[in-house]
Amino acid sequence: MSEYIRGLKLDIITCILGLGGGAFIMGLYLKSPTVHLLTLGGALFFASLAYLILSRINDTRREDIHICKDKSTKNVLEAAFLILFAISLVTYHASENRTIFYFISISLCTGIVALLCAGVTKKRDVIIQIVNIIVLSLNIKLAKFYFFGGSGVDYWIHLKMNEMLSQLGNIGVLSGKEQFFPIMHIDVALTQIMLNLPVKGASMISIILPLVISSICVYFIGRELFGEKIGLLGMLIVNISDYQNWWGFAPQTTSYGAIIFFFSVFAIYKLTNLKNKKNWLATAGILMFAMIIAHAISSFILFTALVGLITGSFLYTIIFSEKGKFFFPALMMIYAIGLMQHWFIAEYRADGPPFFDQIVATLSTYVTEHAGFLNRPEAAPEYAALLPPLSESLVNNLGLALLIFLAVIGALYWLSFDFRSRTTFSILVCTTLLLGITFVFPLFGIRNIIPHRWFVFEYLFLAIMAAFAIIHISMLMSRKQQICVIFVVFTCLSFFMLTATSSNLANLDSPLWLKESTISTTYTIQEMKGAETISCHSERVFSDLRYGVSIIGVYYGHKHDPFDSMDLSDRSGSVFIWRRYMENRPIRMFTQVEGYYKQVESNVIPGPEYLKELEKMQRVYENDDVSGYYIS
C-alpha cells in the first residue's frame, strides 16, 4: 500500500483539487461579493493550472541561474540599486507623504536586489545582499515611522503604556491583560532608560530593528533546505510584504510576537538536525517560554504551527512508511501546558475573567449565535451596494494574490517526487492549517480571531515556497528570460504589497486607489500637537472616532465623545477638531444594515462643504493640519 501511495503523483492530484477548489471559491463571490474570494480563489485556480503546464515541460531543459556571470553585471546592478535607493529617499523627503514615485523607486530597488540575490556565487555576495535587504526594509519602515506622529490603533495604547512604565517602573501601569504579557513593554522601557532615548527611538531599537533582523531566519531555513538563492529571495519577500511592514510601522506586542515566532521556528527546525540538539532544545524552550508571556495571539499561532508540523510529520510517516525521530511531540505538550496555565492565570481585563474563559466564551457566542456560511455583511444587498469599485479592490489585493499564487506553485513542487521530504511535507501541513484558520473563520462570519494578525507569521513559510517557485520556474528559461521574470515578478510583488490599503495594511496614509474607502490611522505630528494644545485648554474636545480615541483619548488621556453624526446641534460648548484630512478622505462611522446582526463600518467624507459650515463658528486654534472650532 505504501509503495502504491509513494508512486502516486500527489502534486498532480492536489493540483486537480486546487483547480476545483479555486473555481468553487471564486463562485462564492456571486453570493457574497468579498473581493478576497475572487483574488485568493483565482490565485489557487491559476497556480494549479500553471503547475499543470509546468509539469509537462521536460526537466532536461533546466539550467542553473546565471544572472551575474561577470563582475561588470554585478557592479551595474549594485550601482543601480544605490541610485534608486537614494532617489526613494529624496522623493520621500521632497513631498508631504509617500507618493507613487516613492513606491516605484522602492519596487525597482526590490527587483534589482532580487536579481543580485539570484546571482550570488560567493559568501561575500550573500553577506552584501543580506545587508541590502535589511537596509531596504529599514527604509520602508523608518521613513513612515519617523516622518509621521504614529500609525495604528493599538499602537497608541502600547506607546502610552511604554512611556508610563519607563517613568514609574511598575508593570501595574499596564492596562488589562498587558500586565500578564509584559515583555515587550519592559524591553522598550529598559532601552528608553539605559540609552536615554524618547519612546519612539526605544521602540525602534527594541522592536523594529529586531523585527527586520528576525527575517534572517527565513534565509537560514531556506538556505539549509534549498540553497543560498532561495533563502535570500525568501528573506526579501518577507521584508517587502504588507503585514511585516505594517507591524514595523506600528511597533507593538504583535510585532514582538512575530520576532519571537521567527526565531522559535528556526530553533525548532534546527532540532531536526543531528548536531547540537541539546543547545537548540534549550534555545527553543527559552524562546517558547518568552512567547507565552509576550503576546497571547502570537503564542497561540506558535502552538498552531507546532500542531501543524507534528501532524505533517506523523502523516508523512503513515503515508510513506518512513520513520523519523523528533522532539516535537514532547516539546509541544510542555508548551501547551505552559500556555494553558498562563491563560488560566492571566486576566483579560482588570478584575475580570481569566483570559482563557473570555476567549472560550466569545468563541461560543459567535459559533452558537452568529456563525453561518458566508454570514458576512457583504452578503447583505444594502451593504454590497456600498462597496468600492471592483476594479480598484482587485488591484488592491494583487500583492497578496501574487504571493499566494507563487506559494501554491512552490507547494505543488514540494509534493512532487523530486522534492518531497518529511520537512517540506510538515511545513505544507502547518501552512495549510494556519491559512485554514485565517480564512475559514471569516468565511463563517466568526470574528473570534483577527485574521490580519496571522499573515505576518504565515509569510515565513509562504515566502520560502514562493522563492522556490520563482527559482525553479526561472530554471526552465534562458538567461535573458530569467532576468526579466525575476525582476518583473519582484518589482510587481513589492509595488502591490506596499501600496495595499485595505484594513490595517501598509499604505493607509497615502493610498493610490480606494481613497474614498480607506480610513487612515496614520497621524501627522501637527495632528498630534493640535490635539495636545486644544485638549489642554478645553475639557470638552471631540473629533472623528479613530483619531479622537487614539490621540485625544488614549495618548493624551482626555475624555472623548466621538464625532458620530454630522449634526452638531447637541455639541454646544465643545471644541471640534477638524483635520485637513477630512476634506477628501473618509472617517469612521457606523450604520445598521438590513439582514445583518450588528452595525457595520460606514466610511463618510465630511468634505469642503461641511468645512464651510464649520467656518461660520468661532475658530479657536489652527495649524497646518488641524483647526479647532468652538460649537455654540
Side-chain angles (χ1 to χ4, degrees), residues 227-243:
E228 302 280 1
K229 296 174 183 179
I230 290 174
L232 287 171
L233 291 178
M235 181 182 175
L236 178 60
I237 290 172
V238 166
N239 280 283
I240 61 170
S241 63
D242 43 16
Y243 286 104

Side-chain angles (χ1 to χ4, degrees), residues 288 292 329-339:
M288 292 164 76
I292 290 174
L331 192 64
M332 187 201 71
M333 290 178 65
I334 295 171
Y335 179 70
I337 292 170
L339 181 65

Side-chain angles (χ1 to χ4, degrees), residues 350-426:
D351 300 321
F355 187 83
F356 181 83
D357 292 3
Q358 182 66 44
I359 293 298
V360 171
T362 306
L363 177 61
S364 176
T365 300
Y366 277 118
V367 171
T368 57
E369 297 180 17
H370 307 304
F373 187 62
L374 291 180
N375 183 29
R376 299 181 53 81
E378 292 89 347
E382 184 180 343
Y383 184 82
L386 302 175
L387 293 174
L390 177 59
S391 58
E392 291 189 34
S393 298
L394 286 173
V395 172
N396 190 55
N397 285 275
L398 275 180
L400 178 59
L402 180 56
L403 178 58
I404 296 294
F405 171 83
L406 293 169
V408 169
I409 294 177
L412 291 169
Y413 269 119
W414 287 7
L415 287 173
S416 66
F417 183 79
D418 292 337
F419 302 106
R420 192 165 60 218
S421 69
R422 180 181 297 275
T423 302
T424 56
F425 193 83
S426 298

Side-chain angles (χ1 to χ4, degrees), residues 345-622:
I345 296 172
E347 296 176 355
Y348 191 81
R349 59 180 65 88
D351 300 321
F355 187 83
F356 181 83
D357 292 3
Q358 182 66 44
I359 293 298
V360 171
T362 306
L363 177 61
S364 176
T365 300
Y366 277 118
V367 171
T368 57
E369 297 180 17
H370 307 304
F373 187 62
L374 291 180
N375 183 29
R376 299 181 53 81
E378 292 89 347
E382 184 180 343
Y383 184 82
L386 302 175
L387 293 174
L390 177 59
S391 58
E392 291 189 34
S393 298
L394 286 173
V395 172
N396 190 55
N397 285 275
L398 275 180
L400 178 59
L402 180 56
L403 178 58
I404 296 294
F405 171 83
L406 293 169
V408 169
I409 294 177
L412 291 169
Y413 269 119
W414 287 7
L415 287 173
S416 66
F417 183 79
D418 292 337
F419 302 106
R420 192 165 60 218
S421 69
R422 180 181 297 275
T423 302
T424 56
F425 193 83
S426 298
I427 292 174
L428 286 177
V429 173
C430 170
T431 308
T432 303
L433 178 61
L434 291 172
L435 290 173
I437 294 175
T438 304
F439 293 122
V440 171
F441 270 58
L443 191 66
F444 284 85
I446 302 174
R447 287 163 175 75
N448 199 49
I449 69 161
I450 306 174
H452 70 258
R453 293 190 177 179
W454 287 59
F455 284 107
V456 67
F457 303 92
E458 295 159 354
Y459 285 168
L460 187 155
F461 305 114
L462 293 175
I464 297 174
M465 296 179 197
F468 183 93
I470 294 168
I471 287 294
H472 281 267
I473 291 172
S474 299
M475 289 171 67
L476 301 173
M477 303 173 182
S478 65
R479 180 172 177 266
K480 289 183 179 180
Q481 291 172 332
Q482 290 173 355
I483 292 174
C484 291
V485 167
I486 293 173
F487 179 77
V488 170
V489 167
F490 273 87
T491 299
C492 292
L493 183 62
S494 173
F495 183 80
F496 289 114
M497 276 284 189
L498 297 179
T499 56
T501 62
S502 55
S503 179
N504 288 335
L505 277 182
N507 191 33
L508 295 177
D509 54 295
S510 51
L512 304 182
W513 34 72
L514 298 180
K515 291 184 179 181
E516 296 182 359
S517 59
T518 300
I519 299 174
S520 176
T521 55
T522 298
Y523 308 116
T524 66
I525 295 173
Q526 292 292 341
E527 286 174 333
M528 291 184 65
K529 288 182 176 178
E532 180 183 24
T533 302
I534 295 172
S535 59
C536 283
H537 292 84
S538 175
E539 294 182 355
R540 301 180 63 186
V541 180
F542 71 102
S543 188
D544 62 280
L545 179 63
R546 285 293 200 189
Y547 167 75
V549 169
S550 296
I551 306 301
I552 301 172
V554 171
Y555 192 66
Y556 290 121
H558 298 281
K559 184 179 178 182
H560 177 257
D561 186 12
F563 173 51
D564 55 6
S565 171
M566 305 296 278
D567 183 8
L568 299 180
S569 58
D570 61 342
R571 299 284 191 154
S572 179
S574 300
V575 176
F576 175 54
I577 298 182
W578 168 271
R579 298 190 289 146
R580 187 175 62 172
Y581 163 93
M582 298 181 191
E583 291 188 32
N584 52 26
R585 294 288 305 281
I587 60 174
R588 191 186 200 191
M589 291 188 177
F590 289 91
T591 185
Q592 187 65 50
V593 173
E594 184 179 352
Y596 196 61
Y597 69 92
K598 68 174 186 177
Q599 288 188 325
V600 297
E601 185 176 301
S602 173
N603 300 330
V604 176
I605 302 176
E609 294 300 321
Y610 196 76
L611 178 60
K612 288 181 182 179
E613 294 298 317
L614 288 175
E615 289 289 353
K616 298 176 183 178
M617 302 180 187
Q618 182 181 358
R619 186 190 303 167
V620 296
Y621 178 85
E622 183 178 21

